Amino acid sequence: MHAQETAALSSEKMNIIKTNVTAYAFRNINLSYERAFTHWFSVNMGFGAIPEGKVPFIDYFLSDEDERRFQNLEAKVFNFTIEPRFYLGTGYGKGFYIAPYYRYSKITSNTFDFYYDYTFSGTTFQIPLKGNGNANGNSGGVMVGVQFFLTPSKNLVLDLWIAGAHYGSGKGDFTMTSDVVLTPEMQAQLKREIEDLDVPYVNYTVETNTNGARVIIDGPWIGFRSGLSLGYRF
């Protein structure tokens, strides 16, 4: 019986390399590797990178007026995900699965322009600043999906991420500097302007000084996953 089980195991192809094709619509270059260890258990590891460019879904996070304040804001993103998969059906990488996972993410901005309006003696001035910084998050979540073998040789793989969500904590540090020496009144106005941006799902505090402002992010980190991957099994 042991010899028969070993022969059955060795006949299975235990490795899959995949890429999420739907992510390329958002400039997300990605690759993942899945290794099956038993009929019902495998581990999938994935890397993703978005080259520097316009921040995805920025219209959702900022109003049109606030978005205009960040005239040339761009960002690049990196993430790493590791997920144990528990298959409920055929197994060895095929069928429905449940996958708890851990994800590390990092977002780095370019040097962007920001301005705010300062009113003095009835006259409004636009005060320009230069900003840059980064933020990173650690989160955990659960995804459900289903994976198919598309050819009789079972080499071509389709992996459908039905739905996944993760939650964790994030930290970030962004600085904004101005060539104008800011008075206490100007600093107070700048602090209010940044706090009033009211970015959803992001907790941040603002510190100001004569040179500009510092924005410190420390709060929840939320994300969702869905997509369609194609891969090769060997």
Side-chain angles (χ1 to χ4, degrees), residues 40 47 50 119 127-128 145 161 186 209 232:
W40 55 270
F47 298 86
I50 300 177
T119 302
I127 307 297
W161 302 355
M186 297 169 75
N209 53 53
Y232 180 76

Side-chain angles (χ1 to χ4, degrees), residues 31-121:
L31 187 68
S32 66
Y33 167 70
E34 181 177 356
R35 169 70 180 183
F37 291 96
T38 69
H39 170 270
W40 55 270
F41 177 73
S42 72
V43 175
N44 191 79
M45 294 182 294
F47 298 86
I50 300 177
E52 189 171 291
K54 184 177 179 180
V55 179
F57 308 111
I58 191 171
D59 297 342
Y60 176 76
F61 293 102
L62 297 174
S63 66
D64 291 342
E65 180 181 350
D66 288 337
E67 186 179 348
R68 283 192 291 270
R69 297 177 184 273
F70 296 90
Q71 297 174 3
N72 60 343
L73 174 62
E74 295 186 346
K76 58 183 178 181
V77 180
F78 169 81
N79 62 68
F80 165 74
T81 307
I82 183 166
E83 58 182 50
R85 290 187 169 190
F86 300 91
Y87 283 89
L88 308 179
T90 306
Y92 294 115
K94 182 180 180 182
F96 283 94
Y97 60 82
I98 298 174
Y101 64 90
Y102 160 80
R103 168 168 283 195
Y104 169 79
S105 305
K106 184 173 182 178
I107 302 173
T108 305
S109 80
N110 65 335
T111 299
F112 58 87
D113 296 310
F114 177 83
Y115 74 88
Y116 78 101
D117 296 326
Y118 172 65
T119 302
F120 178 74
S121 297

